[in-house]
Amino acid sequence: MHSEREGSIAQTTRPEPSGGGPRASNPEQAARALVHYSYAILHMPDDVFSHAYNILDAGRRFFEQPLEVKTQRRSAADDLEGYRSFGEELDPETGLEDLSEGFAVWRRNQHSEDVRRWARSCELHGLMSNALDAYATLAEDILSALRREVAQEDGGAAAGDINIRALSYLQQNYYRPADHAGDGRANVMEPHEDGHVLTILKPTAPGLAVSPRELIEPPTPENRLGVYGPPTGYLDIDLGPREAIVIPSTPTALLTGGLVKPLWHGVRNTGSKRRQSLMFFVNPDPAFSCRPWVRNRIFAKYDIHEIIDIMSSNYGKTSISQVM
Ligand SMILES: [Fe+2]
């Protein structure tokens, strides 16, 4: 995914672009910000914010438990569901461990009897599972608005909405940055892109830095992802308590004919005692076709499902096609 290796996030920052800015208070404004800035800072709808607040609150209690208690919350029914211990996710470029533990809840398991039975007494799993529909509705609203926005920019009618209900999931990461202040790691998460159609991310502490990248070499049969230009400098993102950042990746660029650039991002180690992040990762359902909304010479040929599947295995985890 990266065109070159990066040890840490460069300390340069870019000036805030002029105009309306990336802040958005509804899906339409978020879509506009994605086209113009390649990210949006969204004032979360009340229902989604309320879910996120309760999940992060329960997450603090969950992750402070002893390891042997937490490992019991790894699902035997599905190895992507539930608790992920420290160091299991790897940065695809450097191979460095992400300095976090995590907990994931997939929408495709929401009605699985096996998973429900296993998760019955887990407060965190219940709260995250109950939030999936509200998050999915928000993601659908942003993607519909984005489809309309790029159709306008493209001057034509775009293809239909995509189905994201089956394979999207919520993940919470839990960091202890202060514990790693002396180990030579400038970042608690190295710069990367997520590889989903969208990510809706809410962190509890500063440290997030972002940089959109340009595609400089189209994909080839040997390199299905293409090559992206170097970062032009990372911008530190400060979010208010009610705000989340909407992050596009390569699949978003493919859908939008390159109008939305993939957003590389990482997390600096600011030395805080703890840091949580809650992400809704949005994937299209492979059972439905997912054609690019904008058909131009470079982007029209992509199989978006294939690209997402390749990217889903880049973090040391099972790829999407293998878990279905
Ligand atoms: Fe990420």
Side-chain angles (χ1 to χ4, degrees):
M1 285 182 296
H2 299 247
S3 59
E4 76 282 293
R5 298 170 75 86
E6 298 165 42
S8 66
I9 303 168
Q11 289 295 318
T12 52
T13 56
R14 294 181 308 153
E16 186 81 6
S18 59
R23 286 199 144 72
S25 54
N26 57 49
E28 288 71 27
Q29 291 174 2
R32 219 161 295 140
L34 283 168
V35 169
H36 293 287
Y37 301 94
S38 295
Y39 67 97
I41 296 177
L42 177 68
H43 185 87
M44 300 168 85
D46 288 347
D47 59 342
V48 176
F49 172 73
S50 170
H51 283 298
Y53 181 91
N54 291 328
I55 289 167
L56 291 164
D57 192 42
R60 268 188 297 278
R61 292 190 292 279
F62 177 86
F63 287 106
E64 288 301 325
Q65 297 178 105
L67 181 62
E68 57 268 28
V69 176
K70 290 183 284 192
T71 49
Q72 288 169 12
R73 291 304 177 191
R74 179 180 200 123
S75 171
D78 181 331
D79 70 352
L80 293 179
E81 187 86 7
Y83 179 63
R84 164 180 57 78
S85 59
F86 184 88
E88 276 185 60
E89 282 200 354
L90 304 176
D91 178 68
E93 278 296 306
T94 62
L96 291 169
E97 314 174 316
D98 289 346
L99 301 178
S100 66
E101 301 166 76
F103 197 100
V105 176
W106 285 68
R107 181 114 185 351
R108 72 196 164 88
N109 288 332
Q110 205 175 18
H111 304 295
S112 153
E113 273 308 313
D114 283 348
V115 169
R116 281 160 75 129
R117 201 173 309 117
W118 158 80
R120 204 161 22 216
S121 59
C122 182
E123 178 198 28
L124 183 58
H125 191 279
L127 288 169
M128 289 175 73
S129 185
N130 287 342
L132 288 168
D133 285 341
Y135 264 99
T137 299
L138 174 60
E140 284 171 347
D141 289 347
I142 295 170
L143 287 169
S144 292
L146 183 59
R147 183 175 61 78
R148 292 192 297 273
E149 186 74 19
V150 298
Q152 239 172 37
E153 295 267 345
D154 193 40
D161 281 334
I162 58 176
N163 188 312
I164 56 106
R165 290 268 162 173
L167 279 178
S168 298
Y169 63 103
L170 259 177
Q171 179 174 316
Q172 180 172 182
N173 287 353
Y174 193 82
Y175 303 85
R176 294 177 176 83
D179 290 1
H180 305 286
D183 66 5
R185 297 275 300 267
N187 310 315
V188 289
M189 181 166 280
E190 301 303 318
H192 65 282
E193 69 154 315
D194 285 345
H196 304 283
V197 162
L198 279 183
T199 302
I200 301 172
L201 160 67
K202 171 155 187 55
T204 60
L208 181 70
V210 306
S211 177
R213 281 189 171 177
E214 299 274 358
L215 183 76
I216 55 173
E217 280 179 36
T220 61
E222 293 74 38
N223 178 4
R224 303 293 296 133
L225 301 178
V227 177
Y228 288 87
T232 52
Y234 277 86
L235 180 69
D236 289 302
I237 298 290
D238 284 318
L239 298 172
R242 298 280 308 237
E243 290 177 331
I245 180 168
V246 183
I247 294 177
S249 298
T250 291
T252 332
L254 304 184
L255 272 173
T256 61
L259 285 170
V260 178
K261 299 176 185 62
L263 193 75
W264 262 255
H265 56 279
V267 182
R268 305 184 199 283
N269 189 342
T270 59
S272 55
K273 189 161 178 257
R274 71 175 66 89
R275 180 181 194 278
Q276 291 163 274
S277 55
L278 181 62
M279 289 80 60
F280 187 61
F281 292 126
V282 182
N283 292 318
D285 183 347
F288 296 83
S289 80
C290 184
R291 291 181 294 128
W293 291 331
V294 177
R295 296 193 157 267
N296 62 26
R297 194 171 50 84
I298 296 175
F299 291 92
K301 295 178 283 210
Y302 290 86
D303 180 337
I304 292 167
H305 293 311
E306 181 196 1
I307 299 293
I308 288 179
D309 199 50
I310 293 171
M311 299 183 89
S312 69
S313 64
N314 276 353
Y315 299 91
K317 296 196 296 189
T318 312
S319 70
I320 281 179
S321 59
Q322 288 174 305
V323 297
M324 289 173 53

PDB file of all heavy atoms in Angstrom, residues 242-275:
ATOM      1  N   ARG A 242     -17.927  15.573  20.638  1.00  0.00           N
ATOM      2  CA  ARG A 242     -19.056  15.016  19.868  1.00  0.00           C
ATOM      3  C   ARG A 242     -18.671  14.705  18.428  1.00  0.00           C
ATOM      4  O   ARG A 242     -19.541  14.411  17.612  1.00  0.00           O
ATOM      5  CB  ARG A 242     -20.226  16.013  19.850  1.00  0.00           C
ATOM      6  CG  ARG A 242     -20.820  16.350  21.209  1.00  0.00           C
ATOM      7  CD  ARG A 242     -21.775  15.293  21.697  1.00  0.00           C
ATOM      8  NE  ARG A 242     -22.804  14.928  20.752  1.00  0.00           N
ATOM      9  CZ  ARG A 242     -24.109  15.000  20.983  1.00  0.00           C
ATOM     10  NH1 ARG A 242     -24.532  15.440  22.148  1.00  0.00           N
ATOM     11  NH2 ARG A 242     -24.989  14.618  20.084  1.00  0.00           N
ATOM     12  N   GLU A 243     -17.383  14.809  18.105  1.00  0.00           N
ATOM     13  CA  GLU A 243     -16.980  14.679  16.699  1.00  0.00           C
ATOM     14  C   GLU A 243     -16.289  13.340  16.411  1.00  0.00           C
ATOM     15  O   GLU A 243     -15.587  12.794  17.264  1.00  0.00           O
ATOM     16  CB  GLU A 243     -16.031  15.815  16.316  1.00  0.00           C
ATOM     17  CG  GLU A 243     -16.737  17.163  16.240  1.00  0.00           C
ATOM     18  CD  GLU A 243     -15.802  18.309  15.936  1.00  0.00           C
ATOM     19  OE1 GLU A 243     -14.603  18.244  16.306  1.00  0.00           O
ATOM     20  OE2 GLU A 243     -16.266  19.290  15.334  1.00  0.00           O
ATOM     21  N   ALA A 244     -16.501  12.874  15.171  1.00  0.00           N
ATOM     22  CA  ALA A 244     -15.781  11.709  14.645  1.00  0.00           C
ATOM     23  C   ALA A 244     -15.161  12.125  13.319  1.00  0.00           C
ATOM     24  O   ALA A 244     -15.615  13.079  12.686  1.00  0.00           O
ATOM     25  CB  ALA A 244     -16.736  10.539  14.428  1.00  0.00           C
ATOM     26  N   ILE A 245     -14.108  11.410  12.903  1.00  0.00           N
ATOM     27  CA  ILE A 245     -13.530  11.696  11.581  1.00  0.00           C
ATOM     28  C   ILE A 245     -13.941  10.580  10.619  1.00  0.00           C
ATOM     29  O   ILE A 245     -13.946   9.400  10.992  1.00  0.00           O
ATOM     30  CB  ILE A 245     -11.996  11.867  11.651  1.00  0.00           C
ATOM     31  CG1 ILE A 245     -11.427  12.157  10.252  1.00  0.00           C
ATOM     32  CG2 ILE A 245     -11.308  10.676  12.284  1.00  0.00           C
ATOM     33  CD1 ILE A 245      -9.967  12.614  10.263  1.00  0.00           C
ATOM     34  N   VAL A 246     -14.337  10.985   9.412  1.00  0.00           N
ATOM     35  CA  VAL A 246     -14.718  10.026   8.374  1.00  0.00           C
ATOM     36  C   VAL A 246     -13.523   9.877   7.440  1.00  0.00           C
ATOM     37  O   VAL A 246     -13.048  10.859   6.865  1.00  0.00           O
ATOM     38  CB  VAL A 246     -15.965  10.502   7.603  1.00  0.00           C
ATOM     39  CG1 VAL A 246     -16.383   9.456   6.576  1.00  0.00           C
ATOM     40  CG2 VAL A 246     -17.110  10.805   8.570  1.00  0.00           C
ATOM     41  N   ILE A 247     -13.030   8.645   7.323  1.00  0.00           N
ATOM     42  CA  ILE A 247     -11.762   8.368   6.635  1.00  0.00           C
ATOM     43  C   ILE A 247     -12.003   7.520   5.389  1.00  0.00           C
ATOM     44  O   ILE A 247     -12.552   6.423   5.481  1.00  0.00           O
ATOM     45  CB  ILE A 247     -10.821   7.614   7.602  1.00  0.00           C
ATOM     46  CG1 ILE A 247     -10.435   8.535   8.768  1.00  0.00           C
ATOM     47  CG2 ILE A 247      -9.583   7.082   6.882  1.00  0.00           C
ATOM     48  CD1 ILE A 247      -9.558   7.860   9.811  1.00  0.00           C
ATOM     49  N   PRO A 248     -11.588   8.004   4.212  1.00  0.00           N
ATOM     50  CA  PRO A 248     -11.651   7.172   3.003  1.00  0.00           C
ATOM     51  C   PRO A 248     -10.350   6.402   2.803  1.00  0.00           C
ATOM     52  O   PRO A 248      -9.320   6.739   3.382  1.00  0.00           O
ATOM     53  CB  PRO A 248     -11.820   8.215   1.897  1.00  0.00           C
ATOM     54  CG  PRO A 248     -11.079   9.419   2.411  1.00  0.00           C
ATOM     55  CD  PRO A 248     -11.138   9.384   3.933  1.00  0.00           C
ATOM     56  N   SER A 249     -10.419   5.358   1.995  1.00  0.00           N
ATOM     57  CA  SER A 249      -9.235   4.553   1.665  1.00  0.00           C
ATOM     58  C   SER A 249      -9.206   4.316   0.157  1.00  0.00           C
ATOM     59  O   SER A 249     -10.024   4.871  -0.581  1.00  0.00           O
ATOM     60  CB  SER A 249      -9.284   3.212   2.404  1.00  0.00           C
ATOM     61  OG  SER A 249      -9.257   3.396   3.794  1.00  0.00           O
ATOM     62  N   THR A 250      -8.294   3.472  -0.294  1.00  0.00           N
ATOM     63  CA  THR A 250      -8.205   3.173  -1.730  1.00  0.00           C
ATOM     64  C   THR A 250      -9.553   2.756  -2.335  1.00  0.00           C
ATOM     65  O   THR A 250      -9.909   3.223  -3.413  1.00  0.00           O
ATOM     66  CB  THR A 250      -7.125   2.092  -1.972  1.00  0.00           C
ATOM     67  OG1 THR A 250      -5.853   2.679  -1.691  1.00  0.00           O
ATOM     68  CG2 THR A 250      -7.140   1.586  -3.394  1.00  0.00           C
ATOM     69  N   PRO A 251     -10.355   1.878  -1.684  1.00  0.00           N
ATOM     70  CA  PRO A 251     -11.648   1.528  -2.281  1.00  0.00           C
ATOM     71  C   PRO A 251     -12.568   2.740  -2.489  1.00  0.00           C
ATOM     72  O   PRO A 251     -13.348   2.772  -3.443  1.00  0.00           O
ATOM     73  CB  PRO A 251     -12.248   0.551  -1.261  1.00  0.00           C
ATOM     74  CG  PRO A 251     -11.051  -0.051  -0.587  1.00  0.00           C
ATOM     75  CD  PRO A 251     -10.065   1.061  -0.478  1.00  0.00           C
ATOM     76  N   THR A 252     -12.453   3.749  -1.623  1.00  0.00           N
ATOM     77  CA  THR A 252     -13.257   4.964  -1.798  1.00  0.00           C
ATOM     78  C   THR A 252     -12.782   5.731  -3.042  1.00  0.00           C
ATOM     79  O   THR A 252     -13.592   6.281  -3.795  1.00  0.00           O
ATOM     80  CB  THR A 252     -13.127   5.877  -0.558  1.00  0.00           C
ATOM     81  OG1 THR A 252     -12.852   5.098   0.595  1.00  0.00           O
ATOM     82  CG2 THR A 252     -14.382   6.714  -0.377  1.00  0.00           C
ATOM     83  N   ALA A 253     -11.452   5.763  -3.236  1.00  0.00           N
ATOM     84  CA  ALA A 253     -10.913   6.409  -4.437  1.00  0.00           C
ATOM     85  C   ALA A 253     -11.397   5.681  -5.687  1.00  0.00           C
ATOM     86  O   ALA A 253     -11.761   6.309  -6.689  1.00  0.00           O
ATOM     87  CB  ALA A 253      -9.389   6.421  -4.383  1.00  0.00           C
ATOM     88  N   LEU A 254     -11.450   4.348  -5.618  1.00  0.00           N
ATOM     89  CA  LEU A 254     -11.890   3.569  -6.783  1.00  0.00           C
ATOM     90  C   LEU A 254     -13.362   3.827  -7.088  1.00  0.00           C
ATOM     91  O   LEU A 254     -13.764   3.947  -8.231  1.00  0.00           O
ATOM     92  CB  LEU A 254     -11.662   2.082  -6.541  1.00  0.00           C
ATOM     93  CG  LEU A 254     -10.234   1.678  -6.194  1.00  0.00           C
ATOM     94  CD1 LEU A 254     -10.128   0.171  -6.066  1.00  0.00           C
ATOM     95  CD2 LEU A 254      -9.264   2.187  -7.244  1.00  0.00           C
ATOM     96  N   LEU A 255     -14.175   3.917  -6.041  1.00  0.00           N
ATOM     97  CA  LEU A 255     -15.605   4.184  -6.235  1.00  0.00           C
ATOM     98  C   LEU A 255     -15.839   5.552  -6.861  1.00  0.00           C
ATOM     99  O   LEU A 255     -16.765   5.747  -7.650  1.00  0.00           O
ATOM    100  CB  LEU A 255     -16.324   4.167  -4.877  1.00  0.00           C
ATOM    101  CG  LEU A 255     -16.851   2.851  -4.350  1.00  0.00           C
ATOM    102  CD1 LEU A 255     -17.354   3.050  -2.929  1.00  0.00           C
ATOM    103  CD2 LEU A 255     -17.976   2.317  -5.232  1.00  0.00           C
ATOM    104  N   THR A 256     -15.022   6.526  -6.486  1.00  0.00           N
ATOM    105  CA  THR A 256     -15.292   7.922  -6.847  1.00  0.00           C
ATOM    106  C   THR A 256     -14.416   8.411  -7.994  1.00  0.00           C
ATOM    107  O   THR A 256     -14.298   9.616  -8.205  1.00  0.00           O
ATOM    108  CB  THR A 256     -15.085   8.845  -5.620  1.00  0.00           C
ATOM    109  OG1 THR A 256     -13.716   8.739  -5.179  1.00  0.00           O
ATOM    110  CG2 THR A 256     -16.005   8.465  -4.475  1.00  0.00           C
ATOM    111  N   GLY A 257     -13.807   7.494  -8.731  1.00  0.00           N
ATOM    112  CA  GLY A 257     -12.978   7.904  -9.871  1.00  0.00           C
ATOM    113  C   GLY A 257     -11.786   8.758  -9.448  1.00  0.00           C
ATOM    114  O   GLY A 257     -11.312   9.594 -10.209  1.00  0.00           O
ATOM    115  N   GLY A 258     -11.324   8.586  -8.228  1.00  0.00           N
ATOM    116  CA  GLY A 258     -10.160   9.343  -7.753  1.00  0.00           C
ATOM    117  C   GLY A 258     -10.505  10.702  -7.172  1.00  0.00           C
ATOM    118  O   GLY A 258      -9.613  11.431  -6.737  1.00  0.00           O
ATOM    119  N   LEU A 259     -11.796  11.064  -7.165  1.00  0.00           N
ATOM    120  CA  LEU A 259     -12.167  12.378  -6.604  1.00  0.00           C
ATOM    121  C   LEU A 259     -11.880  12.444  -5.107  1.00  0.00           C
ATOM    122  O   LEU A 259     -11.532  13.485  -4.567  1.00  0.00           O
ATOM    123  CB  LEU A 259     -13.660  12.661  -6.841  1.00  0.00           C
ATOM    124  CG  LEU A 259     -14.031  13.059  -8.270  1.00  0.00           C
ATOM    125  CD1 LEU A 259     -15.542  13.067  -8.449  1.00  0.00           C
ATOM    126  CD2 LEU A 259     -13.450  14.435  -8.605  1.00  0.00           C
ATOM    127  N   VAL A 260     -12.067  11.318  -4.409  1.00  0.00           N
ATOM    128  CA  VAL A 260     -11.717  11.240  -2.991  1.00  0.00           C
ATOM    129  C   VAL A 260     -10.409  10.460  -2.895  1.00  0.00           C
ATOM    130  O   VAL A 260     -10.307   9.358  -3.425  1.00  0.00           O
ATOM    131  CB  VAL A 260     -12.823  10.526  -2.186  1.00  0.00           C
ATOM    132  CG1 VAL A 260     -12.423  10.408  -0.718  1.00  0.00           C
ATOM    133  CG2 VAL A 260     -14.150  11.269  -2.324  1.00  0.00           C
ATOM    134  N   LYS A 261      -9.426  11.037  -2.249  1.00  0.00           N
ATOM    135  CA  LYS A 261      -8.116  10.372  -2.137  1.00  0.00           C
ATOM    136  C   LYS A 261      -8.065   9.535  -0.868  1.00  0.00           C
ATOM    137  O   LYS A 261      -8.660   9.897   0.146  1.00  0.00           O
ATOM    138  CB  LYS A 261      -6.999  11.406  -2.101  1.00  0.00           C
ATOM    139  CG  LYS A 261      -6.927  12.272  -3.334  1.00  0.00           C
ATOM    140  CD  LYS A 261      -5.853  13.339  -3.181  1.00  0.00           C
ATOM    141  CE  LYS A 261      -5.862  14.294  -4.361  1.00  0.00           C
ATOM    142  NZ  LYS A 261      -7.120  15.030  -4.503  1.00  0.00           N
ATOM    143  N   PRO A 262      -7.320   8.427  -0.915  1.00  0.00           N
ATOM    144  CA  PRO A 262      -7.178   7.637   0.316  1.00  0.00           C
ATOM    145  C   PRO A 262      -6.415   8.431   1.370  1.00  0.00           C
ATOM    146  O   PRO A 262      -5.457   9.127   1.050  1.00  0.00           O
ATOM    147  CB  PRO A 262      -6.377   6.413  -0.142  1.00  0.00           C
ATOM    148  CG  PRO A 262      -5.777   6.775  -1.452  1.00  0.00           C
ATOM    149  CD  PRO A 262      -6.605   7.856  -2.058  1.00  0.00           C
ATOM    150  N   LEU A 263      -6.861   8.312   2.609  1.00  0.00           N
ATOM    151  CA  LEU A 263      -6.275   9.100   3.702  1.00  0.00           C
ATOM    152  C   LEU A 263      -5.345   8.217   4.529  1.00  0.00           C
ATOM    153  O   LEU A 263      -5.803   7.327   5.241  1.00  0.00           O
ATOM    154  CB  LEU A 263      -7.385   9.668   4.588  1.00  0.00           C
ATOM    155  CG  LEU A 263      -6.931  10.747   5.569  1.00  0.00           C
ATOM    156  CD1 LEU A 263      -6.678  12.067   4.832  1.00  0.00           C
ATOM    157  CD2 LEU A 263      -7.959  10.970   6.677  1.00  0.00           C
ATOM    158  N   TRP A 264      -4.047   8.466   4.414  1.00  0.00           N
ATOM    159  CA  TRP A 264      -3.099   7.789   5.295  1.00  0.00           C
ATOM    160  C   TRP A 264      -3.180   8.456   6.668  1.00  0.00           C
ATOM    161  O   TRP A 264      -3.368   9.664   6.764  1.00  0.00           O
ATOM    162  CB  TRP A 264      -1.680   7.885   4.740  1.00  0.00           C
ATOM    163  CG  TRP A 264      -1.248   6.666   3.980  1.00  0.00           C
ATOM    164  CD1 TRP A 264      -0.385   5.715   4.425  1.00  0.00           C
ATOM    165  CD2 TRP A 264      -1.635   6.255   2.658  1.00  0.00           C
ATOM    166  NE1 TRP A 264      -0.217   4.736   3.465  1.00  0.00           N
ATOM    167  CE2 TRP A 264      -0.971   5.043   2.381  1.00  0.00           C
ATOM    168  CE3 TRP A 264      -2.495   6.794   1.690  1.00  0.00           C
ATOM    169  CZ2 TRP A 264      -1.125   4.363   1.179  1.00  0.00           C
ATOM    170  CZ3 TRP A 264      -2.657   6.127   0.504  1.00  0.00           C
ATOM    171  CH2 TRP A 264      -1.984   4.922   0.252  1.00  0.00           C
ATOM    172  N   HIS A 265      -3.053   7.657   7.690  1.00  0.00           N
ATOM    173  CA  HIS A 265      -3.153   8.226   9.034  1.00  0.00           C
ATOM    174  C   HIS A 265      -2.377   7.376  10.026  1.00  0.00           C
ATOM    175  O   HIS A 265      -2.169   6.177   9.803  1.00  0.00           O
ATOM    176  CB  HIS A 265      -4.622   8.369   9.455  1.00  0.00           C
ATOM    177  CG  HIS A 265      -5.384   7.075   9.386  1.00  0.00           C
ATOM    178  ND1 HIS A 265      -5.900   6.572   8.207  1.00  0.00           N
ATOM    179  CD2 HIS A 265      -5.690   6.164  10.333  1.00  0.00           C
ATOM    180  CE1 HIS A 265      -6.503   5.423   8.447  1.00  0.00           C
ATOM    181  NE2 HIS A 265      -6.388   5.135   9.740  1.00  0.00           N
ATOM    182  N   GLY A 266      -1.949   7.996  11.068  1.00  0.00           N
ATOM    183  CA  GLY A 266      -1.245   7.301  12.143  1.00  0.00           C
ATOM    184  C   GLY A 266      -1.529   8.011  13.453  1.00  0.00           C
ATOM    185  O   GLY A 266      -2.222   9.025  13.475  1.00  0.00           O
ATOM    186  N   VAL A 267      -1.008   7.445  14.521  1.00  0.00           N
ATOM    187  CA  VAL A 267      -1.258   8.030  15.847  1.00  0.00           C
ATOM    188  C   VAL A 267       0.074   8.257  16.549  1.00  0.00           C
ATOM    189  O   VAL A 267       0.823   7.295  16.798  1.00  0.00           O
ATOM    190  CB  VAL A 267      -2.164   7.120  16.707  1.00  0.00           C
ATOM    191  CG1 VAL A 267      -2.453   7.778  18.050  1.00  0.00           C
ATOM    192  CG2 VAL A 267      -3.476   6.805  15.981  1.00  0.00           C
ATOM    193  N   ARG A 268       0.378   9.510  16.831  1.00  0.00           N
ATOM    194  CA  ARG A 268       1.597   9.844  17.568  1.00  0.00           C
ATOM    195  C   ARG A 268       1.474   9.384  19.011  1.00  0.00           C
ATOM    196  O   ARG A 268       0.362   9.379  19.567  1.00  0.00           O
ATOM    197  CB  ARG A 268       1.815  11.364  17.601  1.00  0.00           C
ATOM    198  CG  ARG A 268       1.833  12.055  16.273  1.00  0.00           C
ATOM    199  CD  ARG A 268       2.147  13.538  16.487  1.00  0.00           C
ATOM    200  NE  ARG A 268       1.768  14.351  15.348  1.00  0.00           N
ATOM    201  CZ  ARG A 268       2.446  14.436  14.207  1.00  0.00           C
ATOM    202  NH1 ARG A 268       3.534  13.709  14.056  1.00  0.00           N
ATOM    203  NH2 ARG A 268       2.044  15.214  13.219  1.00  0.00           N
ATOM    204  N   ASN A 269       2.620   9.087  19.616  1.00  0.00           N
ATOM    205  CA  ASN A 269       2.619   8.812  21.049  1.00  0.00           C
ATOM    206  C   ASN A 269       2.721  10.142  21.780  1.00  0.00           C
ATOM    207  O   ASN A 269       3.778  10.767  21.815  1.00  0.00           O
ATOM    208  CB  ASN A 269       3.788   7.900  21.434  1.00  0.00           C
ATOM    209  CG  ASN A 269       3.659   7.436  22.880  1.00  0.00           C
ATOM    210  OD1 ASN A 269       2.925   8.023  23.676  1.00  0.00           O
ATOM    211  ND2 ASN A 269       4.366   6.377  23.227  1.00  0.00           N
ATOM    212  N   THR A 270       1.612  10.586  22.340  1.00  0.00           N
ATOM    213  CA  THR A 270       1.596  11.858  23.061  1.00  0.00           C
ATOM    214  C   THR A 270       1.872  11.646  24.550  1.00  0.00           C
ATOM    215  O   THR A 270       1.808  12.589  25.329  1.00  0.00           O
ATOM    216  CB  THR A 270       0.240  12.565  22.895  1.00  0.00           C
ATOM    217  OG1 THR A 270      -0.783  11.696  23.408  1.00  0.00           O
ATOM    218  CG2 THR A 270      -0.062  12.888  21.443  1.00  0.00           C
ATOM    219  N   GLY A 271       2.131  10.413  24.941  1.00  0.00           N
ATOM    220  CA  GLY A 271       2.490  10.129  26.335  1.00  0.00           C
ATOM    221  C   GLY A 271       1.308  10.043  27.275  1.00  0.00           C
ATOM    222  O   GLY A 271       1.486   9.957  28.490  1.00  0.00           O
ATOM    223  N   SER A 272       0.087  10.027  26.711  1.00  0.00           N
ATOM    224  CA  SER A 272      -1.077   9.964  27.609  1.00  0.00           C
ATOM    225  C   SER A 272      -1.149   8.581  28.274  1.00  0.00           C
ATOM    226  O   SER A 272      -0.612   7.589  27.761  1.00  0.00           O
ATOM    227  CB  SER A 272      -2.375  10.262  26.850  1.00  0.00           C
ATOM    228  OG  SER A 272      -2.502   9.395  25.761  1.00  0.00           O
ATOM    229  N   LYS A 273      -1.815   8.553  29.421  1.00  0.00           N
ATOM    230  CA  LYS A 273      -1.883   7.295  30.184  1.00  0.00           C
ATOM    231  C   LYS A 273      -2.661   6.245  29.394  1.00  0.00           C
ATOM    232  O   LYS A 273      -2.255   5.090  29.289  1.00  0.00           O
ATOM    233  CB  LYS A 273      -2.560   7.583  31.524  1.00  0.00           C
ATOM    234  CG  LYS A 273      -2.500   6.421  32.490  1.00  0.00           C
ATOM    235  CD  LYS A 273      -2.748   6.896  33.921  1.00  0.00           C
ATOM    236  CE  LYS A 273      -2.736   5.709  34.871  1.00  0.00           C
ATOM    237  NZ  LYS A 273      -4.046   5.285  35.301  1.00  0.00           N
ATOM    238  N   ARG A 274      -3.796   6.625  28.863  1.00  0.00           N
ATOM    239  CA  ARG A 274      -4.541   5.692  28.038  1.00  0.00           C
ATOM    240  C   ARG A 274      -5.207   6.445  26.889  1.00  0.00           C
ATOM    241  O   ARG A 274      -5.432   7.645  26.961  1.00  0.00           O
ATOM    242  CB  ARG A 274      -5.591   4.946  28.866  1.00  0.00           C
ATOM    243  CG  ARG A 274      -6.761   5.766  29.325  1.00  0.00           C
ATOM    244  CD  ARG A 274      -7.777   4.893  30.012  1.00  0.00           C
ATOM    245  NE  ARG A 274      -7.265   4.343  31.252  1.00  0.00           N
ATOM    246  CZ  ARG A 274      -7.373   4.952  32.432  1.00  0.00           C
ATOM    247  NH1 ARG A 274      -7.955   6.113  32.522  1.00  0.00           N
ATOM    248  NH2 ARG A 274      -6.886   4.392  33.515  1.00  0.00           N
ATOM    249  N   ARG A 275      -5.503   5.681  25.827  1.00  0.00           N
ATOM    250  CA  ARG A 275      -6.163   6.254  24.659  1.00  0.00           C
ATOM    251  C   ARG A 275      -7.043   5.182  24.056  1.00  0.00           C
ATOM    252  O   ARG A 275      -6.610   4.043  23.893  1.00  0.00           O
ATOM    253  CB  ARG A 275      -5.132   6.705  23.617  1.00  0.00           C
ATOM    254  CG  ARG A 275      -5.732   7.312  22.372  1.00  0.00           C
ATOM    255  CD  ARG A 275      -4.615   7.706  21.405  1.00  0.00           C
ATOM    256  NE  ARG A 275      -5.114   8.580  20.350  1.00  0.00           N
ATOM    257  CZ  ARG A 275      -5.728   8.155  19.260  1.00  0.00           C
ATOM    258  NH1 ARG A 275      -5.941   6.872  19.078  1.00  0.00           N
ATOM    259  NH2 ARG A 275      -6.154   9.010  18.351  1.00  0.00           N
TER     260      ARG A 275
END
